[in-house]
């Protein structure tokens, strides 16, 4: 069964999804791939994982690294999960490039190289925005490239973090 909950943020309304125990989705309402991990007909229900996630978001939008994660469940291909696991290691206030992620995955897999475009596809389909920080991934020259929540939100999230990290 899939459960959903709505909450507000300084960047617009957010929808959270859960399997009843873990967070399975977090999207800005109307963003690209909105609801991509929802299955069946979601039920609106108050759950403790939503309380924990709301607390995480409150701390984060207050300009601080929350220092904890709500329980997460990443349901996808092994490749996408491996990319999302790397995203979870990017420190608050820092960025990484698609190419750096590709090189890291290639090294971990014993491959000579990996496609940065394939990494970009996985980053773009991250169903748990902000908490799995896909907004911290930038182009090779540091440029702000795609973000399912919109480039304006990506820029605002990075500014929020860099302001506090400096």
């Amino acid at each position: 069964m899939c459960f959903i909950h709505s909450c507000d943020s300084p960047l617009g309304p957010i929808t959270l999804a859960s399997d009843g125990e873990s967070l399975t989705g977090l999207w800005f309402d109307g963003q690209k791939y909105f609801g991509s991990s929802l299955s069946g007909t979601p039920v609106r229900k108050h759950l403790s994982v939503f309380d924990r996630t709301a607390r995480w978001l409150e701390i984060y939008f207050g300009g601080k690294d929350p220092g904890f994660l709500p329980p997460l469940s990443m349901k996808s291909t092994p490749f996408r999960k491996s990319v999302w696991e790397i995203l979870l290691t990017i420190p608050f206030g820092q960025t990484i490039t698609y190419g750096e992620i590709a090189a890291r995955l290639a090294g971990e897999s014993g491959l000579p190289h990996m496609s940065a475009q394939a990494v970009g596809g996985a980053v773009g389909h991250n169903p748990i925005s902000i908490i799995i920080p896909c907004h911290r991934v930038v182009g090779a020259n540091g440029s702000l490239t795609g973000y399912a929540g919109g480039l304006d939100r990506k820029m605002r999230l990075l500014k929020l973090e860099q302001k506090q990290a400096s």
Side-chain angles (χ1 to χ4, degrees):
M1 180 160 269
C2 182
F3 302 97
I4 58 172
H5 177 74
S6 298
C7 61
D8 291 322
S9 84
L11 301 182
I14 289 176
T15 295
L16 307 175
S18 174
D19 58 11
E21 294 181 20
S22 301
L23 189 69
T24 59
L26 186 158
W27 306 273
F28 288 105
D29 287 6
Q31 81 172 46
K32 192 174 187 180
Y33 310 119
F34 178 89
S36 59
S37 65
L38 297 177
S39 58
T41 303
V43 174
R44 288 198 176 273
K45 185 174 181 184
H46 186 85
L47 300 171
S48 63
V49 67
F50 294 146
D51 290 338
R52 204 164 150 92
T53 303
R55 179 66 183 136
W56 190 99
L57 290 167
E58 179 183 331
I59 294 166
Y60 178 83
F61 283 117
K64 295 184 174 59
D65 181 350
F68 70 93
L69 291 173
L72 305 176
S73 179
M74 300 179 281
K75 296 179 176 142
S76 190
T77 66
F79 175 73
R80 284 185 179 177
K81 283 193 221 178
S82 66
V83 171
W84 300 340
E85 289 290 342
I86 290 173
L87 298 182
L88 285 168
T89 70
I90 306 168
F92 184 89
Q94 295 184 28
T95 60
I96 190 171
T97 68
Y98 296 95
E100 289 170 324
I101 294 172
R104 184 167 157 188
L105 284 171
E108 290 173 0
S109 303
L111 300 170
H113 60 78
M114 183 166 290
S115 164
Q117 289 80 11
V119 167
V123 170
H125 285 84
N126 166 26
I128 307 175
S129 294
I130 308 171
I131 293 176
I132 299 179
C134 50
H135 62 278
R136 295 180 188 153
V137 184
V138 298
N141 60 359
S143 62
L144 297 186
T145 59
Y147 180 62
L151 285 179
D152 180 59
R153 282 189 181 119
K154 180 172 185 165
M155 185 171 32
R156 290 175 67 189
L157 291 168
L158 290 173
K159 281 184 180 177
L160 170 85
E161 291 183 22
Q162 289 165 352
K163 185 179 187 182
Q164 294 303 317
S166 55

